Amino acid sequence: MKITEVLGLSFLLFAFIGTSFPEAVHAKDAAAVLDVFGHEVQAGARYLIVAPSTDNTTTLAVTINGQVLCNSDVILSTLNESLPITFSPVMQSTDSVIREGTHLNVNFAGPIAMCAMAGVTPMWKIRFSTTLKGYIVTTGGVDRLNRFKITKYEGDNSFYQLSFCPMSEPFCECSCVPVGVNGDKNLVPGAGPLLVMFEPDE
């Protein structure tokens, strides 16, 4: 095969990959998510998601509503009740840095083996709550099907916001919606964005 044909095929293959999997090609172009100390947030590392309270007197943090880590709703509570989480990119990345706008799996860091025995996971997902008559963030998600992302909060660049990015099969990409908090402190999609920071769990 002529060298020009090989180069042509290589270019077409790269172009196909770039259009089909834009995150994989352009992930390094996005800014790194930074923790409260200004360090890059790392995939697989443990962090606390913290947020200021409305009266700025306490620090709030993400935890669960209940005793069972792998089958509970995600809520906002006081810092001393917080649980660490980990992030992992949905698309395989060439480095371990979590970047703004990248589709992520969000997991509570806990007894995963116990969750596996129960047939669920500590991964975040969205479910409809008949009690609250709306969608809420809960645990029991499936890898790649429950996508979230982190972006800078436009109103204050010292904070980030979380968004849920629904996916419809087979190829529909649906719009991401900010994750906020309802009156019962549940994390919910579609509410006003919750301002958050990420504190290493050491």
Side-chain angles (χ1 to χ4, degrees):
M1 183 179 289
K2 296 180 180 179
I3 187 67
T4 53
E5 293 177 349
V6 173
L7 290 174
L9 288 173
S10 299
F11 176 79
L12 289 174
L13 178 62
F14 182 79
F16 172 76
I17 293 172
T19 55
S20 301
F21 307 102
E23 279 189 290
V25 175
H26 302 295
K28 282 204 168 185
D29 296 338
V33 176
L34 304 179
D35 66 19
V36 294
F37 302 111
H39 302 143
E40 294 177 341
V41 171
Q42 301 291 315
R46 294 160 58 107
Y47 295 91
L48 301 177
I49 299 179
V50 295
S53 66
T54 53
D55 59 7
N56 293 319
T57 59
T58 59
T59 300
L60 304 176
V62 170
T63 184
I64 56 170
N65 183 18
Q67 300 297 317
V68 183
L69 173 65
C70 37
N71 195 18
S72 292
D73 301 333
V74 181
I75 63 170
L76 200 64
S77 187
T78 55
L79 184 61
N80 62 351
E81 296 177 322
S82 62
L83 290 172
I85 54 89
T86 62
F87 300 110
S88 60
V90 170
M91 299 291 291
Q92 188 172 3
S93 176
T94 56
D95 63 17
S96 61
V97 177
I98 297 299
R99 300 187 182 277
E100 293 182 33
T102 301
H103 287 153
L104 303 169
N105 295 317
V106 182
N107 283 275
F108 280 116
I112 297 175
M114 180 185 71
C115 296
M117 291 177 61
V120 291
T121 70
M123 183 181 294
W124 288 18
K125 70 172 185 179
I126 301 297
R127 75 169 180 87
F128 185 80
S129 170
T130 54
T131 303
L132 300 176
K133 295 181 171 58
Y135 288 94
I136 61 174
V137 181
T138 187
T139 54
V142 178
D143 185 23
R144 297 176 181 268
L145 297 182
N146 301 276
R147 308 175 310 172
F148 292 81
K149 72 175 182 180
I150 301 168
T151 53
K152 275 287 189 181
Y153 179 65
E154 293 182 359
D156 187 338
N157 276 338
S158 59
F159 290 97
Y160 291 94
Q161 69 179 49
L162 295 167
S163 296
F164 172 67
C165 301
M167 183 174 66
S168 297
E169 295 295 345
F171 301 114
C172 172
E173 291 287 341
C174 304
S175 298
C176 299
V177 293
V179 171
V181 179
N182 65 13
D184 295 312
K185 299 298 184 182
N186 290 86
L187 265 63
V188 296
L194 174 67
L195 279 63
V196 297
M197 302 179 77
F198 307 103
E199 182 179 322
D201 180 47
E202 298 176 350

